[in-house]
């Protein structure tokens, strides 16, 4: 079963590359979204992951945010609504997956380059204003299930400038008995290859994505948005903020400068 899944996954990745290379140049934006949605759902099925999505309301023009657990998160969100994700530039170098992310609109950001951050921030605002769905993981890195890191505040400014709300989602991966599935965690020194192999060997995993109440941005400050979004996501995961580690939020200590280059997903 493991070898069969691995071969199917490799074939599916190459199929995605072929679609991006040969069909996307002649396909409308709506058509590309349909391809990405179908491809993402099939990738999760090949990995043996069921999908349970609770998203009863239409997704408006907004900035999507969610907690961050794994490289799988992008494909879980894309299986509902294909988005332009903000991701660190290292991901571009991942075998196959990095190329696919680039071709499907991922916005790569370089750590430590303020000019790059400012340029990309302007592009985020323009994308939201055009009605595109833009998403990022405000924890800035992956975290083990059962935890929720403080949310970086800076990229929330894009929603304020674009006069669009923030649409939060709560994401988790469960086992058959409803417990959090450890194979989903992509943390520490784990490589992308090690994570893929662990997921392919896992059994009975379900990705659960829950739509949460919109957060208005009119008259708001990005720090307030970051705190509100974290509280809403924590509640969606069944946590209270008091249960989470009492770590000071980066939103409380960052100066009023350009968006933080660290506030991008692993």
């Amino acid at each position: 079963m493991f070898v069969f899944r691995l071969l199917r996954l490799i074939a599916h990745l190459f199929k995605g590359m072929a679609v991006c290379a040969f069909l996307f140049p002649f396909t409308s934006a709506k058509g590309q979204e349909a391809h990405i949605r179908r491809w993402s759902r099939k990738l999760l099925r090949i990995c043996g992951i069921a999908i349970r999505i609770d998203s009863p309301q239409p997704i408006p023009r907004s900035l999507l945010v969610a907690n961050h657990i794994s490289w799988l998160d992008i494909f879980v969100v894309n299986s509902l609504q294909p988005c332009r994700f903000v991701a660190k530039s290292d991901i571009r170098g991942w075998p196959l997956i990095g190329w696919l992310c680039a071709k499907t609109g991922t916005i790569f950001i370089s750590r430590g380059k303020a000019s790059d951050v400012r340029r990309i921030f302007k592009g985020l605002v323009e994308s939201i204003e055009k009605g595109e769905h833009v998403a990022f993981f405000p924890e800035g890195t992956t975290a083990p299930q059962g935890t929720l890191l403080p949310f970086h505040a800076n990229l929330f400014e894009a929603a304020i400038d674009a006069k669009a709300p923030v649409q939060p989602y709560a994401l988790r991966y469960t086992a058959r008995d409803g417990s959090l599935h450890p194979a989903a965690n992509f943390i520490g020194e784990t490589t992308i290859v090690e994570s893929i192999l662990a997921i392919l060997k896992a059994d009975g995993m379900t990705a659960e994505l829950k739509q949460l109440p919109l957060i208005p941005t009119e008259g708001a400050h990005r720090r307030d948005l970051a705190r509100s979004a974290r509280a809403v996501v924590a509640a969606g995961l069944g946590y209270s903020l008091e249960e989470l580690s009492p770590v000071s939020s980066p939103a409380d200590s960052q100066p009023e400068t350009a968006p933080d280059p660290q506030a991008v997903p692993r």
Side-chain angles (χ1 to χ4, degrees), residues 158-209:
I160 297 172
D161 286 6
K163 297 180 174 59
V166 173
Q167 174 62 78
Y169 279 85
L171 175 62
R172 65 177 185 170
Y173 299 87
T174 59
R176 287 195 179 95
D177 61 2
S179 63
L180 300 176
H181 205 305
N185 290 334
F186 181 38
I187 55 175
E189 299 302 316
T190 304
T191 66
I192 180 64
V193 173
E194 290 170 340
S195 178
I196 289 172
L197 295 180
I199 289 166
L200 292 177
K201 292 176 182 176
D203 189 38
M205 188 187 299
T206 298
E208 300 180 359
L209 185 66

Side-chain angles (χ1 to χ4, degrees), residues 62-100:
S62 58
L63 178 68
L64 278 71
V65 300
N67 57 304
H68 195 21
I69 300 161
S70 169
W71 58 273
L72 289 168
D73 301 348
I74 289 176
F75 304 109
V76 175
V77 175
N78 277 344
S79 71
L80 168 66
Q81 173 59 61
C83 297
R84 297 197 70 191
F85 278 88
V86 181
K88 70 177 185 179
S89 57
D90 307 42
I91 292 176
R92 192 194 294 265
W94 286 0
L96 304 183
I97 292 177
W99 189 90
L100 282 168

Side-chain angles (χ1 to χ4, degrees), residues 31-260:
Q32 290 181 10
E33 282 195 0
H35 276 297
I36 293 169
R37 186 181 293 110
R38 286 194 301 268
W39 188 90
S40 297
R41 290 175 178 175
K42 187 171 181 180
L43 178 139
L44 294 169
R45 288 199 303 271
I46 290 171
C47 290
I49 301 171
I51 312 171
R52 185 178 301 150
I53 295 177
D54 179 8
S55 186
Q57 302 300 322
I59 304 173
R61 182 180 70 91
S62 58
L63 178 68
L64 278 71
V65 300
N67 57 304
H68 195 21
I69 300 161
S70 169
W71 58 273
L72 289 168
D73 301 348
I74 289 176
F75 304 109
V76 175
V77 175
N78 277 344
S79 71
L80 168 66
Q81 173 59 61
C83 297
R84 297 197 70 191
F85 278 88
V86 181
K88 70 177 185 179
S89 57
D90 307 42
I91 292 176
R92 192 194 294 265
W94 286 0
L96 304 183
I97 292 177
W99 189 90
L100 282 168
C101 287
K103 291 298 182 181
T104 52
T106 298
I107 303 164
F108 293 107
I109 187 168
S110 300
R111 291 177 181 268
K113 291 186 178 180
S115 60
D116 193 38
V117 175
R118 285 192 291 270
R119 174 183 58 81
I120 289 172
F121 178 78
K122 181 180 178 182
L124 292 182
V125 175
E126 292 174 350
S127 293
I128 298 172
E129 288 176 337
K130 289 190 297 185
E132 296 178 351
H133 290 90
V134 175
F136 83 105
F137 301 110
E139 289 171 283
T141 188
T142 51
Q145 296 210 80
T147 64
L148 186 66
L149 299 176
F151 281 12
H152 292 265
N154 285 308
L155 290 184
F156 284 93
E157 190 78 29
I160 297 172
D161 286 6
K163 297 180 174 59
V166 173
Q167 174 62 78
Y169 279 85
L171 175 62
R172 65 177 185 170
Y173 299 87
T174 59
R176 287 195 179 95
D177 61 2
S179 63
L180 300 176
H181 205 305
N185 290 334
F186 181 38
I187 55 175
E189 299 302 316
T190 304
T191 66
I192 180 64
V193 173
E194 290 170 340
S195 178
I196 289 172
L197 295 180
I199 289 166
L200 292 177
K201 292 176 182 176
D203 189 38
M205 188 187 299
T206 298
E208 300 180 359
L209 185 66
K210 183 178 182 180
Q211 187 180 34
L212 302 169
L214 280 172
I215 302 173
T217 59
E218 185 177 357
H221 190 280
R222 63 189 187 188
R223 294 181 181 179
D224 297 327
L225 288 178
R227 295 189 190 99
S228 297
R230 184 170 185 251
V232 169
V233 172
L237 293 169
Y239 314 144
S240 68
L241 292 181
E242 291 73 20
E243 293 174 320
L244 300 170
S245 299
V247 181
S248 61
S249 170
D252 296 328
S253 58
Q254 291 171 350
E256 296 296 320
T257 58
D260 181 9

